[in-house]
Coordinates of all heavy atoms in Angstrom, one line a residue:
M1 N 0.8 -1.2 0.0 CA 0.0 0.0 0.0 C 0.9 1.3 0.0 O 1.6 1.6 1.0 CB -0.9 0.1 1.3 CG -1.6 -1.2 1.5 SD -3.2 -1.3 0.7 CE -3.7 -3.0 1.1
T2 N 0.9 2.0 -1.1 CA 1.7 3.2 -1.2 C 0.9 4.4 -0.7 O 1.5 5.4 -0.4 CB 2.2 3.4 -2.6 OG1 1.0 3.5 -3.4 CG2 3.0 2.2 -3.1
G3 N -0.4 4.3 -0.8 CA -1.3 5.5 -0.6 C -1.3 6.4 -1.8 O -2.0 7.4 -1.7
D4 N -0.7 6.1 -2.8 CA -0.7 6.9 -4.1 C -1.9 6.5 -4.9 O -2.0 5.3 -5.3 CB 0.6 6.7 -4.9 CG 0.5 7.4 -6.2 OD1 -0.5 8.0 -6.5 OD2 1.5 7.3 -6.9
P5 N -2.9 7.4 -5.0 CA -4.2 6.9 -5.7 C -4.0 6.5 -7.1 O -4.8 5.8 -7.7 CB -5.1 8.1 -5.5 CG -4.2 9.3 -5.2 CD -3.0 8.7 -4.6
G6 N -2.9 7.1 -7.8 CA -2.7 6.7 -9.2 C -2.0 5.3 -9.3 O -1.9 4.8 -10.4
N7 N -1.7 4.8 -8.2 CA -0.9 3.6 -8.2 C -1.5 2.5 -7.4 O -0.9 1.5 -7.0 CB 0.5 3.9 -7.6 CG 1.6 2.8 -8.1 OD1 1.4 2.2 -9.1 ND2 2.6 2.7 -7.3
M8 N -2.8 2.6 -7.1 CA -3.5 1.7 -6.2 C -3.9 0.5 -7.1 O -4.0 0.6 -8.3 CB -4.7 2.3 -5.5 CG -5.9 2.6 -6.4 SD -6.9 3.9 -5.6 CE -7.3 3.2 -4.1
S9 N -4.2 -0.7 -6.4 CA -4.6 -1.8 -7.2 C -6.1 -1.7 -7.5 O -6.8 -0.9 -6.9 CB -4.4 -3.1 -6.4 OG -5.3 -3.1 -5.3
C10 N -6.6 -2.5 -8.5 CA -8.0 -2.5 -8.8 C -8.8 -2.9 -7.6 O -9.9 -2.3 -7.4 CB -8.3 -3.5 -9.9 SG -7.5 -3.0 -11.5
E11 N -8.3 -3.8 -6.8 CA -9.0 -4.2 -5.6 C -9.2 -3.1 -4.6 O -10.3 -2.9 -4.1 CB -8.2 -5.3 -5.0 CG -9.0 -6.3 -4.1 CD -8.1 -7.4 -3.7 OE1 -7.0 -7.2 -3.1 OE2 -8.5 -8.6 -3.9
E12 N -8.2 -2.3 -4.4 CA -8.3 -1.2 -3.5 C -9.3 -0.1 -4.0 O -10.1 0.4 -3.3 CB -6.9 -0.5 -3.3 CG -6.0 -1.3 -2.5 CD -4.6 -0.7 -2.5 OE1 -4.0 -0.6 -3.6 OE2 -4.1 -0.3 -1.4
F13 N -9.1 0.1 -5.3 CA -10.0 1.1 -5.9 C -11.5 0.7 -5.8 O -12.4 1.4 -5.5 CB -9.6 1.4 -7.4 CG -10.6 2.3 -8.1 CD1 -10.7 3.6 -7.8 CD2 -11.5 1.7 -9.0 CE1 -11.6 4.4 -8.4 CE2 -12.4 2.5 -9.7 CZ -12.5 3.9 -9.3
Q14 N -11.7 -0.6 -6.2 CA -13.1 -1.1 -6.2 C -13.7 -1.1 -4.8 O -14.9 -0.9 -4.6 CB -13.2 -2.4 -6.9 CG -13.0 -2.3 -8.4 CD -12.8 -3.6 -9.1 OE1 -13.1 -4.7 -8.6 NE2 -12.2 -3.6 -10.3
A15 N -12.9 -1.3 -3.8 CA -13.3 -1.2 -2.4 C -13.9 0.1 -2.1 O -14.8 0.3 -1.2 CB -12.2 -1.6 -1.5
Q16 N -13.4 1.2 -2.7 CA -13.9 2.5 -2.4 C -15.0 3.0 -3.4 O -15.5 4.1 -3.2 CB -12.8 3.6 -2.6 CG -11.5 3.2 -1.9 CD -10.5 4.4 -2.1 OE1 -10.7 5.3 -2.9 NE2 -9.5 4.3 -1.3
L17 N -15.2 2.2 -4.5 CA -15.9 2.8 -5.6 C -17.4 3.1 -5.3 O -17.9 4.2 -5.6 CB -15.8 1.8 -6.8 CG -16.4 2.2 -8.1 CD1 -15.9 3.6 -8.5 CD2 -16.1 1.2 -9.2
S18 N -18.1 2.2 -4.6 CA -19.5 2.5 -4.3 C -19.6 3.7 -3.4 O -20.5 4.4 -3.5 CB -20.2 1.2 -3.7 OG -19.6 0.9 -2.5
E19 N -18.6 3.8 -2.5 CA -18.6 5.0 -1.6 C -18.4 6.3 -2.4 O -19.1 7.3 -2.1 CB -17.5 4.8 -0.6 CG -17.7 5.7 0.7 CD -16.5 5.4 1.6 OE1 -16.1 4.2 1.8 OE2 -16.1 6.4 2.2
L20 N -17.5 6.2 -3.3 CA -17.2 7.4 -4.2 C -18.5 7.8 -4.9 O -18.9 9.0 -5.0 CB -16.2 7.0 -5.3 CG -14.7 7.3 -5.0 CD1 -13.9 6.8 -6.1 CD2 -14.5 8.8 -4.8
I21 N -19.1 6.8 -5.6 CA -20.3 7.1 -6.3 C -21.5 7.6 -5.4 O -22.1 8.6 -5.7 CB -20.8 5.9 -7.1 CG1 -19.8 5.5 -8.2 CG2 -22.2 6.1 -7.8 CD1 -20.1 4.3 -8.9
G22 N -21.6 6.9 -4.3 CA -22.6 7.3 -3.3 C -22.5 8.6 -2.7 O -23.5 9.3 -2.4
S23 N -21.3 9.1 -2.6 CA -21.0 10.4 -2.0 C -21.1 11.5 -3.1 O -20.9 12.7 -2.8 CB -19.6 10.4 -1.3 OG -18.6 10.4 -2.3
G24 N -21.3 11.2 -4.3 CA -21.5 12.2 -5.4 C -20.1 12.7 -5.9 O -20.1 13.6 -6.7
E25 N -19.0 12.0 -5.5 CA -17.7 12.4 -6.1 C -17.7 12.0 -7.6 O -18.4 11.1 -8.0 CB -16.6 11.5 -5.4 CG -16.4 11.8 -4.0 CD -15.5 13.0 -3.7 OE1 -14.6 13.2 -4.6 OE2 -15.7 13.7 -2.7
D26 N -16.9 12.7 -8.3 CA -16.8 12.3 -9.7 C -15.7 11.2 -9.8 O -14.5 11.4 -9.9 CB -16.3 13.5 -10.5 CG -16.2 13.2 -12.0 OD1 -16.7 12.1 -12.4 OD2 -15.8 14.1 -12.8
A27 N -16.2 10.0 -9.7 CA -15.3 8.8 -9.7 C -14.5 8.7 -11.0 O -13.4 8.2 -11.0 CB -16.1 7.5 -9.4
A28 N -15.1 9.2 -12.1 CA -14.4 9.1 -13.4 C -13.1 10.0 -13.4 O -12.2 9.7 -14.2 CB -15.3 9.6 -14.5
A29 N -13.1 10.9 -12.5 CA -11.9 11.8 -12.4 C -10.8 11.1 -11.5 O -9.7 11.7 -11.4 CB -12.2 13.1 -11.9
H30 N -11.1 10.0 -10.9 CA -10.1 9.4 -10.1 C -8.9 8.9 -10.9 O -9.0 8.4 -12.0 CB -10.8 8.2 -9.4 CG -10.0 7.6 -8.3 ND1 -8.9 6.8 -8.5 CD2 -10.2 7.7 -7.0 CE1 -8.4 6.5 -7.3 NE2 -9.1 7.0 -6.4
P31 N -7.7 9.1 -10.4 CA -6.5 8.7 -11.1 C -6.4 7.3 -11.5 O -5.9 6.9 -12.6 CB -5.3 9.1 -10.1 CG -5.9 10.0 -9.1 CD -7.4 9.8 -9.1
H32 N -7.0 6.4 -10.7 CA -7.0 5.0 -11.0 C -7.8 4.7 -12.3 O -7.4 4.0 -13.2 CB -7.5 4.1 -9.9 CG -7.4 2.7 -10.2 ND1 -6.2 1.9 -10.1 CD2 -8.3 1.8 -10.8 CE1 -6.5 0.7 -10.5 NE2 -7.7 0.6 -10.9
V33 N -9.0 5.4 -12.4 CA -9.8 5.2 -13.5 C -9.1 5.7 -14.8 O -9.3 5.1 -15.9 CB -11.2 6.0 -13.3 CG1 -12.1 5.8 -14.5 CG2 -11.9 5.4 -12.1
Q34 N -8.4 6.8 -14.6 CA -7.7 7.4 -15.8 C -6.7 6.4 -16.4 O -6.4 6.4 -17.5 CB -7.0 8.7 -15.4 CG -7.9 9.8 -14.8 CD -8.8 10.4 -15.8 OE1 -8.4 10.6 -16.9 NE2 -10.0 10.6 -15.4
S35 N -6.2 5.6 -15.5 CA -5.1 4.7 -16.0 C -5.5 3.3 -16.1 O -4.7 2.4 -16.5 CB -3.9 4.8 -15.0 OG -4.3 4.4 -13.7
C36 N -6.7 2.9 -15.8 CA -7.2 1.5 -15.8 C -8.4 1.4 -16.6 O -9.5 1.8 -16.2 CB -7.4 1.0 -14.4 SG -7.8 -0.7 -14.3
E37 N -8.3 0.7 -17.8 CA -9.4 0.6 -18.7 C -10.5 -0.3 -18.1 O -11.7 -0.1 -18.2 CB -8.9 -0.1 -20.0 CG -9.8 0.2 -21.1 CD -9.1 -0.3 -22.4 OE1 -7.9 -0.1 -22.6 OE2 -9.8 -1.0 -23.2
R38 N -10.1 -1.3 -17.3 CA -11.0 -2.3 -16.7 C -11.9 -1.6 -15.7 O -13.1 -1.8 -15.7 CB -10.2 -3.4 -16.0 CG -11.0 -4.5 -15.6 CD -10.1 -5.7 -15.2 NE -10.8 -6.4 -14.2 CZ -10.3 -6.6 -12.9 NH1 -9.1 -6.1 -12.6 NH2 -11.0 -7.3 -12.1
C39 N -11.3 -0.7 -14.9 CA -12.1 0.0 -13.9 C -13.0 1.1 -14.5 O -14.0 1.4 -14.0 CB -11.2 0.6 -12.8 SG -10.6 -0.8 -11.7
R40 N -12.5 1.6 -15.7 CA -13.3 2.6 -16.4 C -14.6 1.9 -16.9 O -15.7 2.4 -16.8 CB -12.5 3.1 -17.6 CG -12.8 4.5 -17.9 CD -11.7 5.3 -18.5 NE -11.0 4.6 -19.6 CZ -9.7 4.5 -19.8 NH1 -8.9 5.1 -18.9 NH2 -9.2 3.9 -20.8
A41 N -14.5 0.7 -17.4 CA -15.7 -0.1 -17.9 C -16.6 -0.4 -16.7 O -17.8 -0.3 -16.8 CB -15.2 -1.4 -18.6
L42 N -16.0 -0.8 -15.6 CA -16.8 -1.1 -14.4 C -17.5 0.1 -13.9 O -18.7 0.1 -13.6 CB -15.8 -1.6 -13.3 CG -16.5 -1.9 -11.9 CD1 -17.5 -2.9 -12.0 CD2 -15.4 -2.3 -10.9
L43 N -16.8 1.2 -13.9 CA -17.4 2.5 -13.4 C -18.6 2.9 -14.3 O -19.6 3.3 -13.8 CB -16.4 3.6 -13.4 CG -16.9 5.0 -13.1 CD1 -17.4 5.0 -11.7 CD2 -15.8 6.0 -13.2
S44 N -18.5 2.7 -15.6 CA -19.6 3.1 -16.5 C -20.8 2.2 -16.2 O -21.9 2.7 -16.2 CB -19.1 3.2 -17.9 OG -19.4 2.0 -18.6
D45 N -20.6 0.9 -15.9 CA -21.7 0.1 -15.6 C -22.4 0.6 -14.3 O -23.6 0.6 -14.2 CB -21.2 -1.4 -15.3 CG -20.9 -2.1 -16.6 OD1 -21.1 -1.6 -17.7 OD2 -20.3 -3.2 -16.5
L46 N -21.5 0.9 -13.3 CA -22.1 1.3 -12.0 C -22.8 2.7 -12.1 O -23.8 2.9 -11.5 CB -20.9 1.4 -11.0 CG -20.3 0.1 -10.7 CD1 -19.3 0.3 -9.6 CD2 -21.3 -0.9 -10.3
Q47 N -22.3 3.5 -13.0 CA -23.0 4.8 -13.2 C -24.3 4.6 -13.8 O -25.3 5.3 -13.5 CB -22.1 5.8 -14.0 CG -21.0 6.3 -13.1 CD -20.0 7.2 -13.8 OE1 -19.8 7.0 -15.0 NE2 -19.5 8.2 -13.2
T48 N -24.4 3.6 -14.7 CA -25.7 3.3 -15.3 C -26.7 2.9 -14.2 O -27.9 3.3 -14.1 CB -25.6 2.2 -16.3 OG1 -24.6 2.7 -17.3 CG2 -26.9 1.9 -17.0
I49 N -26.2 2.0 -13.3 CA -27.1 1.5 -12.2 C -27.4 2.7 -11.3 O -28.6 2.9 -10.9 CB -26.3 0.5 -11.3 CG1 -26.0 -0.8 -12.2 CG2 -27.1 0.1 -10.1 CD1 -25.1 -1.8 -11.5
A50 N -26.5 3.5 -10.9 CA -26.7 4.7 -10.0 C -27.7 5.7 -10.7 O -28.6 6.2 -10.0 CB -25.4 5.4 -9.7
E51 N -27.5 5.9 -11.9 CA -28.4 6.8 -12.7 C -29.8 6.3 -12.7 O -30.8 7.0 -12.4 CB -27.9 7.0 -14.1 CG -28.6 8.0 -14.9 CD -28.7 9.4 -14.3 OE1 -27.7 9.8 -13.7 OE2 -29.7 10.1 -14.4
A52 N -30.0 5.0 -12.9 CA -31.3 4.3 -12.9 C -31.9 4.5 -11.5 O -33.1 4.8 -11.4 CB -31.2 2.9 -13.3
A53 N -31.1 4.3 -10.5 CA -31.6 4.4 -9.1 C -32.1 5.9 -8.8 O -33.1 6.1 -8.2 CB -30.5 4.1 -8.1
R54 N -31.4 6.8 -9.3 CA -31.8 8.2 -9.1 C -33.1 8.5 -9.8 O -33.9 9.3 -9.3 CB -30.7 9.2 -9.6 CG -29.7 9.5 -8.6 CD -28.9 10.7 -9.0 NE -27.9 10.4 -10.1 CZ -26.7 9.9 -9.9 NH1 -26.3 9.7 -8.6 NH2 -25.9 9.7 -10.9
Q55 N -33.3 7.9 -11.0 CA -34.6 8.1 -11.7 C -35.7 7.4 -11.0 O -36.9 7.9 -11.0 CB -34.5 7.6 -13.1 CG -33.7 8.7 -13.9 CD -33.3 8.1 -15.3 OE1 -33.7 7.1 -15.8 NE2 -32.4 8.9 -16.0
L56 N -35.4 6.3 -10.4 CA -36.5 5.5 -9.7 C -36.8 6.2 -8.3 O -38.0 6.2 -7.9 CB -36.0 4.1 -9.4 CG -36.1 3.2 -10.6 CD1 -35.4 1.8 -10.2 CD2 -37.5 2.9 -11.0
F57 N -35.8 6.8 -7.7 CA -36.0 7.4 -6.4 C -35.5 8.9 -6.4 O -34.5 9.2 -5.8 CB -35.3 6.6 -5.3 CG -35.6 5.2 -5.4 CD1 -34.7 4.3 -6.0 CD2 -36.8 4.6 -4.8 CE1 -35.0 2.9 -6.0 CE2 -37.0 3.3 -4.9 CZ -36.1 2.4 -5.5
P58 N -36.2 9.7 -7.2 CA -35.6 11.1 -7.4 C -35.6 11.9 -6.2 O -34.7 12.8 -6.1 CB -36.6 11.7 -8.5 CG -37.8 10.9 -8.4 CD -37.5 9.5 -7.9
S59 N -36.4 11.7 -5.2 CA -36.5 12.6 -4.1 C -36.0 12.0 -2.8 O -36.1 12.6 -1.8 CB -37.9 13.1 -3.9 OG -38.7 11.9 -3.6
A60 N -35.4 10.8 -2.9 CA -34.9 10.2 -1.7 C -33.6 9.6 -1.9 O -33.1 9.4 -3.1 CB -35.9 9.1 -1.3
E61 N -32.9 9.3 -0.9 CA -31.7 8.5 -1.0 C -32.1 7.1 -1.6 O -33.1 6.5 -1.2 CB -31.1 8.2 0.5 CG -30.5 9.4 1.1 CD -29.1 9.7 0.4 OE1 -28.3 8.9 0.5 OE2 -29.0 10.8 -0.1
P62 N -31.2 6.6 -2.4 CA -31.5 5.3 -2.9 C -31.5 4.3 -1.8 O -30.7 4.5 -0.8 CB -30.3 5.0 -3.9 CG -29.7 6.3 -4.2 CD -30.1 7.2 -3.1
P63 N -32.4 3.3 -1.8 CA -32.4 2.3 -0.7 C -31.1 1.5 -0.7 O -30.4 1.4 -1.7 CB -33.6 1.5 -1.0 CG -33.8 1.6 -2.5 CD -33.3 3.0 -2.8
D64 N -30.8 0.9 0.5 CA -29.6 0.2 0.7 C -29.4 -0.9 -0.4 O -28.3 -1.2 -0.8 CB -29.6 -0.5 2.0 CG -29.4 0.5 3.1 OD1 -29.0 1.7 2.8 OD2 -29.6 0.2 4.3
E65 N -30.6 -1.4 -0.9 CA -30.4 -2.6 -1.8 C -29.7 -2.1 -3.1 O -29.1 -2.9 -3.8 CB -31.8 -3.2 -2.1 CG -32.8 -2.3 -2.5 CD -34.2 -2.9 -2.2 OE1 -34.7 -2.9 -1.1 OE2 -34.8 -3.4 -3.2
V66 N -29.9 -0.8 -3.5 CA -29.2 -0.4 -4.6 C -27.7 -0.5 -4.5 O -27.0 -0.9 -5.3 CB -29.6 1.1 -5.0 CG1 -28.7 1.7 -6.1 CG2 -31.0 1.2 -5.3
W67 N -27.2 -0.1 -3.3 CA -25.8 -0.2 -3.0 C -25.3 -1.6 -2.9 O -24.2 -2.0 -3.3 CB -25.4 0.7 -1.8 CG -25.8 2.1 -2.0 CD1 -26.7 2.7 -1.2 CD2 -25.5 3.0 -3.1 NE1 -26.9 4.0 -1.8 CE2 -26.2 4.1 -2.9 CE3 -24.6 2.8 -4.1 CZ2 -26.0 5.2 -3.7 CZ3 -24.5 3.9 -5.0 CH2 -25.2 5.1 -4.8
T68 N -26.3 -2.5 -2.4 CA -25.9 -3.9 -2.3 C -25.7 -4.4 -3.8 O -24.8 -5.2 -4.0 CB -27.1 -4.6 -1.6 OG1 -27.3 -4.0 -0.3 CG2 -26.7 -6.1 -1.5
Q69 N -26.6 -4.0 -4.7 CA -26.5 -4.4 -6.1 C -25.2 -3.9 -6.7 O -24.5 -4.6 -7.4 CB -27.6 -3.8 -6.9 CG -28.9 -4.5 -6.9 CD -29.9 -3.8 -7.8 OE1 -29.6 -3.0 -8.6 NE2 -31.2 -4.2 -7.6
I70 N -24.8 -2.7 -6.4 CA -23.6 -2.1 -6.9 C -22.4 -2.9 -6.3 O -21.5 -3.3 -7.1 CB -23.5 -0.6 -6.5 CG1 -24.5 0.2 -7.4 CG2 -22.1 -0.1 -6.8 CD1 -24.6 1.7 -7.0
E71 N -22.5 -3.2 -5.0 CA -21.4 -3.9 -4.5 C -21.3 -5.3 -5.0 O -20.2 -5.8 -5.3 CB -21.5 -4.0 -2.9 CG -20.8 -2.7 -2.3 CD -21.3 -2.4 -0.9 OE1 -21.9 -3.3 -0.2 OE2 -21.2 -1.2 -0.5
S72 N -22.4 -6.0 -5.3 CA -22.3 -7.3 -5.8 C -21.8 -7.3 -7.3 O -21.1 -8.1 -7.8 CB -23.6 -8.1 -5.7 OG -24.6 -7.6 -6.5
A73 N -22.2 -6.2 -8.0 CA -21.6 -6.0 -9.4 C -20.1 -5.9 -9.3 O -19.4 -6.4 -10.1 CB -22.3 -4.8 -10.0
I74 N -19.6 -5.1 -8.4 CA -18.2 -4.9 -8.2 C -17.6 -6.3 -7.9 O -16.5 -6.7 -8.5 CB -17.9 -3.9 -7.1 CG1 -18.3 -2.5 -7.5 CG2 -16.4 -4.0 -6.7 CD1 -18.2 -1.5 -6.4
N75 N -18.2 -7.0 -7.0 CA -17.6 -8.3 -6.6 C -17.6 -9.3 -7.8 O -16.6 -10.0 -8.0 CB -18.4 -8.9 -5.4 CG -18.1 -8.1 -4.2 OD1 -17.1 -7.5 -4.0 ND2 -19.1 -8.2 -3.2
R76 N -18.6 -9.3 -8.6 CA -18.7 -10.1 -9.8 C -17.5 -9.8 -10.7 O -16.8 -10.7 -11.2 CB -20.0 -10.0 -10.6 CG -21.1 -10.9 -10.1 CD -22.1 -11.1 -11.2 NE -22.7 -9.8 -11.7 CZ -23.6 -9.1 -11.0 NH1 -24.2 -9.6 -9.9 NH2 -24.1 -8.0 -11.5
E77 N -17.3 -8.5 -10.9 CA -16.3 -8.0 -11.8 C -14.9 -8.4 -11.3 O -14.0 -8.6 -12.1 CB -16.4 -6.5 -12.0 CG -15.7 -5.9 -13.2 CD -16.6 -6.0 -14.4 OE1 -17.8 -6.3 -14.3 OE2 -16.0 -5.9 -15.5
G78 N -14.8 -8.4 -10.0 CA -13.4 -8.6 -9.5 C -13.0 -10.0 -9.5 O -11.8 -10.3 -9.2
K79 N -13.9 -10.9 -9.8 CA -13.5 -12.4 -9.7 C -12.9 -12.9 -11.0 O -13.2 -12.3 -12.1 CB -14.7 -13.2 -9.3 CG -15.1 -12.8 -7.9 CD -15.5 -14.0 -7.1 CE -15.3 -13.6 -5.6 NZ -16.4 -12.8 -5.1
Ligands
LIG1 ZN1 -8.4 -0.9 -12.1

């Protein structure tokens, strides 16, 4: 673990990814995404899910199950 965000592993990045998206950060601007095509593809899938969730629940926080889905999508991708 170097702590350098541009040099983190996919595993480390993906561990933070649902939190990044959930907090409204621009995950696409993350240095790891800039340098990792695989995580870029994963992120675009997750943004599709998050966007759909926002449309389904425009006035409320998405329910926990949305983040569960996102996390299970990440886990599928990581195997
Ligand atoms: Zn990666």
Side-chain angles (χ1 to χ4, degrees):
M1 310 274 173
T2 60
D4 175 358
N7 201 24
M8 73 202 302
S9 69
C10 292
E11 203 172 54
E12 287 171 301
F13 174 70
Q14 287 170 18
Q16 313 183 345
L17 186 51
S18 63
E19 199 180 321
L20 268 176
I21 294 174
S23 69
E25 296 274 331
D26 185 7
H30 192 286
H32 183 84
V33 178
Q34 302 292 319
S35 63
C36 181
E37 203 173 315
R38 190 169 151 240
C39 288
R40 216 152 43 224
L42 174 62
L43 176 61
S44 92
D45 287 351
L46 296 185
Q47 285 178 326
T48 303
I49 296 171
E51 185 58 37
R54 273 195 287 274
Q55 284 168 12
L56 284 171
F57 308 101
S59 61
E61 287 286 301
D64 287 348
E65 54 202 78
V66 173
W67 303 118
T68 306
Q69 276 179 17
I70 289 175
E71 272 159 22
S72 71
I74 292 171
N75 290 336
R76 270 201 308 277
E77 198 81 16
K79 295 221 156 80

